[in-house]
Amino acid sequence: MRFRDRVVGFDDAIADSTLDFSAVQSHRGWHYGVAHITDDGRMEPFTPFENRRADVWMTPKYRQLQLGRDSQTAIWKDGGCLAAVRRWTADRVGSVRLVGWLAKAVSTRGAVSFRIYRDGQLAWSRTLAEDDYIPHAYDVLLVDLPKLADIDLVAVSESKEAVVKVDWKLQIVSETCTAWRPDLPIGPQFTDSQKQTQREAGKELLLQIKRASDQKIKTFHIPAGDYRYRAGWDPDCPIIEGVHDLQIEASGATFWMEPPLIWGLLVRKCQNLTFRGLTIDFDPLPFFQARVLHIDAPNERVTAEIMPGHEPRNADGIPEDNGQRVILFFHQDGSFINNYLLGKSWHRIGHNNRIEFETPAPGVSVGDYLAAPIRTGAALRTIECESIVYEDCNIYASGGMMAMEGGGAGGNVYRRLHGVRRPGTNRLHAFGADGFHMTATEKGPTIDRCEVAHLADDHINLHGFFGIVAQRVSAHQYYFAASYGPFKTKKKMDFWDWRSVEHLGAATVIRTRRVTDSVQSEQVLSELKRMEHAHSSEVWEVTMDRDLDLPVGTLIDTHSLNCEGFVVRNCWFHDCFNRPFLLNGASGGLVEYNTFQNVMHGLEIHYETWGPMTEGQFANDNRFINNRMLGCSTGAAASDAYLQGAVMSVMVPSGGNYLRRSTPIRNMLFKGNYIETPGGVPIYITNMDGLIVKDNIIDRPFHAADWKGFGSAFATTCGDLPDASIFLGVVKNARIEGNLVYDPDHKAGAMVKTGPLASGVVVDGKHQWDCVADFVTGWSHDGIQGLNGWWYGMLGNREVRSGRYRTDSFTVMRRYEPGRWVAGVESPYPHAAIMSVHPSDKQAAVKRWVSTVSGRLRVEGTVQNNGLGDGVRLSVFVDGIRKWELEAKDDKPHPLLCELSAIRVGSAVDFVLDSIGSMDNDSTQLYIKLMVPPYS
């Protein structure tokens, strides 16, 4: 994709450097001119251009100094830079975001600094190194602009090269946020008398809305003012129910939620209802704030002083002296410090305003601030509704989620909804859980031009639920457990083993009946509860058109009530320690032109198929296009940074983050996205069939990674060492093309790497070798020898060291302990686990694969000894003859790569680990995969 084809995507931008480019100065606030930039970075007075030729503004004296629609140049002269300046003059008061693309022109040598000046003061800069020619996305916030403020875009050569040419695109978008200061008010304050008046007004208002709907009034205006409600459990919360075909104009109206701080506004069983301009806030706030006084790093304790007005209270509004909270840290200017600190203990110190947290505080200094939210319900709920629109609404706090919806036809719209800390206050935080949590609607939501920030869980979580087989009644009849009753006649369902996630078949529903008898339901669910697998009290009797003999606990993908067809576009998700976009099961969606900024991850497709959660179903046919991921996984710890990427597709089946051989996720497109400084693997995909990764840009991958070696964690999530910008685990039929990577520190070993059982992968037109077997997906978690062609055993040292042995001298290990095979009862050595192997003094540990193919095989993998002993020797034997060997005496990961020819179906391919000296400290991490040429 060429630079000029990259667009930003806002259709409501207040300024656009490309679309607004004109032959007339000051058209739509744009000016084109020249300014002198001194060596110390100061910008001297701006002089407008007077000459224009075709689509280029220029000076008559310096023909190279010019401004085009997307490009501009600068030249060095007299100890500074004469720069072409693209200036926009604000036509309003308030904050703006500057969003766009920039790049060095290929003809420009040396480093170039892109700068944004605000009224002559440097507000932002980004320097591109000499070898950095990839396009870069950016998203810059400028707060509290006065009217007629001048915003200047300037490019400066860092190497004083004669001519600098750059490409620069920009859209300017209006924003509601303001600068933060500790001396700002906490928010509006009310007397007891005012609160009582607000309660009475709130009660009457809900009745008026219901009457307006009953009378078929098309538009209802809420008078500007404050309305107060209890935010308790149902029905002790404000409820709008059964309202249809009504527009509610609520500009200037605020719904205040008071204890117990559980559920805010509930919109239930409504249709074609619009809320415009409504604000929801909580009083008292569902979080407290404090200023850091002391950090005891060795003992992981932080002492802080509670800020006035931010005293700790529980959900009932009762003052607290101790407990557990999520803790979030902020710099002294109120900017978010990205740490993952969940569930930390705290207590008051004496009877004053000092508190102590038992927590680490990486990146935190004395004088910084913290916020500690509670975790309860949600500020806004939309339940069993259709075509509800929330437009230009604000949600400024919640004890739990910002907005959630569940059940019904769906198709609800959130347009320009701002879920943020209240502007103009000293609040640091907003929400105690997710931003948008959307589940089990027939049609997914449209989330358009929204902003969500300062929360304590995911920005967006979209999903339905898996059904679960609870009991078999007869050949075609079962009891199923599920949420929201997704079983419909004439609907095809797919069944998946809940542990291996292998496909068990499909069937169509003939009849369905919900079981309403509570005693019968409990009996049906008893086995699931014993398995810790019951997620719902709803039980359904279902008759299908065929018998599949499904075991209890089988996952059911009903292909319904899973937020299908969702749209998320032009949103800004920022400042959160968790995932900005979690897709736990919705299909047919579009995610485009969004910015994910200063967050833990990026776009994540994730399946929680264990225990009581069962958030699903398997997502298919989703598109992720032209999104900006800036500073994703910036809070990742070095120990797990390999998995803190920006685009990720994983499964979490029973037993943990183990890879599985199945590919239930299908047909995903990742195109034109920009990924900046991901902590670990920028794009990590597994368990998927049908994938396109095209025209994405990756800037400095593995930014937070501190590789400690090839530890066992890699086995459960990646298999192979994921040292590539695009890592494909268990993936079929993938097309990877046109992607760009800037990796000046060479942290990525390759652009693309395939892991376990990858097949049908084409990279930039070249077909890759297919994986036919590997250690991880071949492993049996149930202790079955021979599963997937793998056997675990031992060979005598003397035979191994001779380089030749009879294949039948291989002895199978007979004892299986949880997670590993061992030689016998008396000695734990030799043993073989999913990744680690350990020989004994007399016997080598062996993993044998019985070949299912003939011809050539490529063996790839990684070998890493702990480096504390004499070292080990890894050998590859085929039918008892050594073909390759490697000695590992240090603690570094060593690559394994060899080709084997004349392989026959049934050949014994043995991977043999033998001690060099003593067996002491010979534990070795070992991963191997076997590859065949494409089309073999």
Side-chain angles (χ1 to χ4, degrees):
M1 183 184 294
R2 299 168 298 180
F3 180 86
R4 65 173 177 265
D5 295 328
R6 293 191 176 273
V7 296
V8 184
F10 291 101
D11 57 10
D12 61 347
I14 58 177
D16 188 306
S17 63
T18 299
L19 299 179
D20 297 343
F21 188 77
S22 172
V24 179
Q25 291 278 9
S26 75
H27 175 70
R28 296 184 61 85
W30 290 98
H31 307 264
Y32 313 97
V34 62
H36 183 253
I37 309 299
T38 65
D39 284 340
D40 60 1
R42 290 181 296 108
M43 179 179 172
E44 296 189 341
F46 170 86
T47 302
F49 283 129
E50 296 181 356
N51 289 34
R52 182 177 178 277
R53 292 186 179 180
D55 288 330
V56 178
W57 288 93
M58 65 177 62
T59 63
K61 184 175 181 181
Y62 302 105
R63 293 297 177 87
Q64 299 123 319
L65 189 62
Q66 55 185 247
L67 255 168
R69 188 175 298 273
D70 290 323
S71 63
Q72 59 196 77
T73 61
I75 62 173
W76 274 92
K77 183 181 183 293
D78 300 330
C81 176
L82 276 174
V85 178
R86 194 184 305 268
R87 166 173 287 185
W88 179 73
T89 301
D91 61 352
R92 66 195 72 194
V93 174
S95 302
V96 297
R97 283 166 57 208
L98 280 60
V99 188
W101 289 91
L102 52 80
K104 289 172 54 180
V106 175
S107 60
T108 296
R109 299 185 303 275
V112 174
S113 174
F114 291 80
R115 302 179 185 180
I116 296 175
Y117 289 85
R118 169 181 171 165
D119 284 331
Q121 300 297 312
L122 184 64
W124 177 86
S125 66
R126 172 68 194 274
T127 298
L128 302 189
E130 182 171 9
D131 60 344
D132 186 355
Y133 289 101
I134 68 172
H136 292 264
Y138 62 95
D139 196 324
V140 179
L141 174 66
L142 300 180
V143 297
D144 301 339
L145 292 179
K147 192 171 183 179
L148 302 182
D150 290 325
I151 309 301
D152 296 317
L153 280 62
V154 184
V156 179
S157 173
E158 295 287 311
S159 59
K160 298 188 177 181
E161 185 187 342
V163 178
V164 169
K165 183 178 180 182
V166 301
D167 297 316
W168 202 333
K169 290 177 180 285
L170 170 71
Q171 283 190 320
I172 299 178
V173 184
S174 180
E175 280 298 333
T176 61
C177 52
T178 59
W180 183 90
R181 299 195 318 272
D183 59 346
L184 290 171
I186 192 173
Q189 300 294 297
F190 305 101
T191 66
D192 289 342
S193 176
Q194 288 172 324
K195 291 179 181 179
Q196 183 57 34
T197 300
Q198 293 166 6
R199 294 182 190 108
E200 294 170 358
K203 182 178 180 180
E204 176 60 25
L205 177 62
L206 297 183
L207 295 175
Q208 292 174 0
I209 292 173
K210 179 59 175 172
R211 284 197 294 266
S213 174
D214 292 342
Q215 295 169 10
K216 301 190 183 305
I217 295 173
K218 296 300 181 184
T219 302
F220 178 83
H221 291 269
I222 298 179
D226 299 291
Y227 304 85
R228 185 168 291 265
Y229 303 93
R230 283 173 59 89
W233 300 100
D234 295 351
D236 192 20
C237 64
I239 300 174
I240 297 176
E241 185 168 15
V243 174
H244 302 276
D245 305 314
L246 180 65
Q247 293 195 45
I248 299 176
E249 299 291 342
S251 180
T254 299
F255 285 8
W256 290 96
M257 305 298 162
E258 61 182 10
L261 304 180
I262 311 297
W263 299 121
L265 177 63
L266 169 59
V267 180
R268 183 166 59 197
K269 296 183 179 179
C270 296
Q271 188 176 30
N272 296 326
L273 177 61
T274 296
F275 293 85
R276 188 171 290 112
L278 177 66
T279 293
I280 297 176
D281 208 340
F282 278 59
D283 178 25
L285 292 173
F287 55 88
F288 69 83
Q289 299 180 183
R291 183 174 180 268
V292 176
L293 300 177
H294 177 70
I295 300 173
D296 181 358
N299 295 308
E300 295 191 344
R301 295 182 183 275
V302 173
T303 304
E305 184 174 31
I306 298 169
M307 294 175 65
H310 287 278
E311 289 77 14
R313 296 177 183 272
N314 64 19
D316 292 320
I318 300 172
E320 284 187 322
D321 291 329
N322 59 77
Q324 277 206 334
R325 297 282 182 107
V326 178
I327 181 170
L328 304 107
F329 287 104
F330 301 81
H331 293 296
Q332 295 182 37
D333 63 356
S335 58
F336 177 62
I337 302 174
N338 200 340
N339 293 316
Y340 191 90
L341 301 169
L342 190 66
K344 300 300 179 180
S345 297
W346 71 276
H347 63 272
R348 281 186 184 267
I349 302 174
H351 297 287
N352 55 34
N353 281 332
R354 293 197 174 185
I355 59 172
E356 184 178 75
F357 262 96
E358 298 176 10
T359 180
V364 181
S365 302
V366 171
D368 289 339
Y369 295 88
L370 63 86
I374 60 177
R375 296 174 69 83
T376 54
L380 173 65
R381 286 183 297 163
T382 307
I383 304 298
E384 297 182 59
C385 290
E386 180 179 7
S387 300
I388 309 301
V389 177
Y390 300 98
E391 185 171 276
D392 296 313
C393 294
N394 305 297
I395 303 179
Y396 290 141
S398 172
M401 299 174 186
M402 179 196 74
M404 67 174 294
E405 66 177 46
N412 306 310
V413 176
Y414 303 81
R415 183 180 298 118
R416 294 186 298 274
L417 186 151
H418 291 273
V420 296
R421 58 193 187 190
R422 191 179 187 107
T425 71
N426 68 359
R427 301 182 191 180
L428 291 162
H429 192 64
F431 309 112
D434 295 350
F436 292 104
H437 191 109
M438 311 311 201
T439 179
T441 57
E442 201 67 66
K443 182 179 180 182
T446 294
I447 301 172
D448 184 14
R449 290 166 287 178
C450 295
E451 178 188 2
V452 184
H454 301 113
L455 54 159
D457 213 326
D458 307 316
H459 283 79
I460 293 184
N461 186 351
L462 289 162
H463 66 88
F465 291 98
F466 288 106
I468 307 291
V469 173
Q471 190 180 111
R472 189 182 188 202
V473 179
S474 62
H476 295 257
Q477 195 173 24
Y478 288 83
Y479 285 119
F480 294 158
S483 295
Y484 291 99
F487 308 111
K488 299 180 180 180
T489 57
K490 300 182 181 179
K491 189 75 173 181
K492 179 184 175 182
M493 299 181 296
D494 284 277
F495 300 90
W496 306 82
D497 183 271
W498 76 288
R499 185 175 177 88
S500 68
V501 202
E502 292 289 341
H503 192 229
L504 300 181
T508 300
V509 176
I510 297 175
R511 287 185 301 276
T512 181
R513 177 185 67 88
R514 183 179 176 183
V515 177
T516 57
D517 181 85
S518 60
V519 175
Q520 184 182 9
S521 294
E522 284 298 313
Q523 291 174 345
V524 170
L525 292 173
S526 60
E527 178 65 11
L528 289 181
K529 290 181 178 180
R530 189 188 66 79
M531 299 167 64
E532 297 184 354
H533 203 56
H535 72 298
S536 171
S537 59
E538 291 188 11
V539 175
W540 295 75
E541 185 181 37
V542 178
T543 303
M544 301 183 297
D545 66 344
R546 67 191 66 184
D547 181 30
L548 297 174
D549 195 16
L550 302 171
V552 173
T554 296
L555 297 174
I556 310 168
D557 193 336
T558 63
H559 305 294
S560 62
L561 293 175
N562 64 355
C563 300
E564 185 174 2
F566 66 90
V567 175
V568 181
R569 63 160 58 97
N570 285 334
C571 294
W572 186 25
F573 305 111
H574 60 99
D575 295 310
C576 176
F577 65 76
N578 216 350
R579 300 159 293 202
F581 190 93
L582 176 59
L583 186 63
N584 259 351
S587 295
L590 172 64
V591 182
E592 64 176 358
Y593 298 117
N594 303 285
T595 293
F596 308 109
Q597 195 166 24
N598 193 24
V599 292
M600 182 63 76
H601 301 274
L603 303 172
E604 186 161 328
I605 304 169
H606 191 237
Y607 298 91
E608 300 175 351
T609 59
W610 79 93
M613 294 295 292
T614 62
E615 291 184 359
Q617 304 145 25
F618 293 119
N620 301 318
D621 304 299
N622 290 305
R623 296 169 291 158
F624 304 86
I625 301 173
N626 294 331
N627 298 286
R628 299 168 288 273
M629 284 159 270
L630 308 174
C632 291
S633 65
T634 53
S639 62
D640 63 357
Y642 68 93
L643 204 54
Q644 306 298 323
V647 175
M648 182 184 300
S649 173
V650 297
M651 290 197 306
V652 189
S654 175
N657 279 326
Y658 300 121
L659 285 166
R660 297 293 190 263
R661 300 169 66 89
S662 61
T663 52
I665 311 164
R666 296 190 175 94
N667 301 328
M668 299 290 179
L669 169 67
F670 300 94
K671 180 180 178 182
N673 301 289
Y674 175 77
I675 302 171
E676 182 180 278
T677 59
V681 186
I683 300 176
Y684 169 66
I685 307 292
T686 191
N687 302 109
M688 186 177 295
D689 185 352
L691 168 68
I692 298 176
V693 180
K694 182 177 181 180
D695 295 336
N696 300 284
I697 296 174
I698 298 169
D699 178 24
R700 291 165 290 169
F702 301 101
H703 197 66
D706 180 15
W707 297 103
K708 301 296 185 183
F710 193 48
S712 60
F714 291 112
T716 59
T717 48
C718 301
D720 208 344
L721 189 68
D723 56 346
S725 293
I726 302 171
F727 183 84
L728 308 180
V730 182
V731 173
K732 298 178 182 177
N733 304 313
R735 179 159 56 94
I736 317 297
E737 63 182 46
N739 302 284
L740 298 176
V741 176
Y742 177 61
D743 184 14
D745 298 324
H746 306 290
K747 289 187 175 182
M751 166 78 82
V752 181
K753 187 172 183 178
T754 58
L757 295 190
S759 63
V761 177
V762 180
V763 179
D764 291 323
K766 183 178 180 180
H767 290 262
Q768 307 298 294
W769 286 48
D770 294 338
C771 182
V772 293
D774 81 297
F775 277 12
V776 177
T777 65
W779 179 261
S780 167
H781 296 276
D782 297 317
I784 302 174
Q785 287 275 8
L787 185 69
N788 302 313
W790 287 99
W791 300 81
Y792 310 93
M794 46 204 168
L795 286 163
N797 285 349
R798 183 176 301 176
E799 296 173 292
V800 170
R801 292 167 187 172
S802 71
R804 182 183 292 269
Y805 54 80
R806 290 175 45 179
T807 56
D808 59 6
S809 63
F810 169 81
T811 303
V812 173
M813 295 177 181
R814 295 298 181 186
R815 183 180 172 204
Y816 182 75
E817 299 175 348
R820 70 173 186 174
W821 286 96
V822 295
V825 176
E826 296 181 357
S827 173
Y829 305 108
H831 70 239
I834 186 171
M835 287 284 282
S836 66
V837 285
H838 197 305
S840 70
D841 283 327
K842 296 182 179 180
Q843 291 180 308
V846 182
K847 289 190 176 185
R848 168 173 287 184
W849 182 65
V850 178
S851 180
T852 58
V853 298
S854 59
R856 297 163 60 198
L857 273 181
R858 178 189 291 169
V859 180
E860 296 182 8
T862 304
V863 186
Q864 184 175 12
N865 185 244
N866 61 26
L868 299 176
D870 301 318
V872 295
R873 180 184 296 105
L874 176 71
S875 301
V876 180
F877 286 80
V878 177
D879 292 328
I881 300 174
R882 179 183 284 127
K883 300 294 183 179
W884 182 91
E885 65 178 344
L886 167 77
E887 291 187 353
K889 297 183 178 181
D890 55 25
D891 62 351
K892 308 299 181 185
H894 295 271
L896 184 161
L897 179 63
C898 68
E899 284 203 22
L900 307 174
S901 58
I903 298 295
R904 297 175 292 105
V905 173
S907 288
V909 183
D910 291 339
F911 302 96
V912 183
L913 190 79
D914 182 25
S915 298
I916 291 178
S918 167
M919 63 166 275
D920 294 338
N921 295 304
D922 277 355
S923 180
T924 301
Q925 295 293 319
L926 179 61
Y927 171 74
I928 287 173
K929 59 185 177 183
L930 296 102
M931 319 281 286
V932 296
Y935 311 118
S936 62

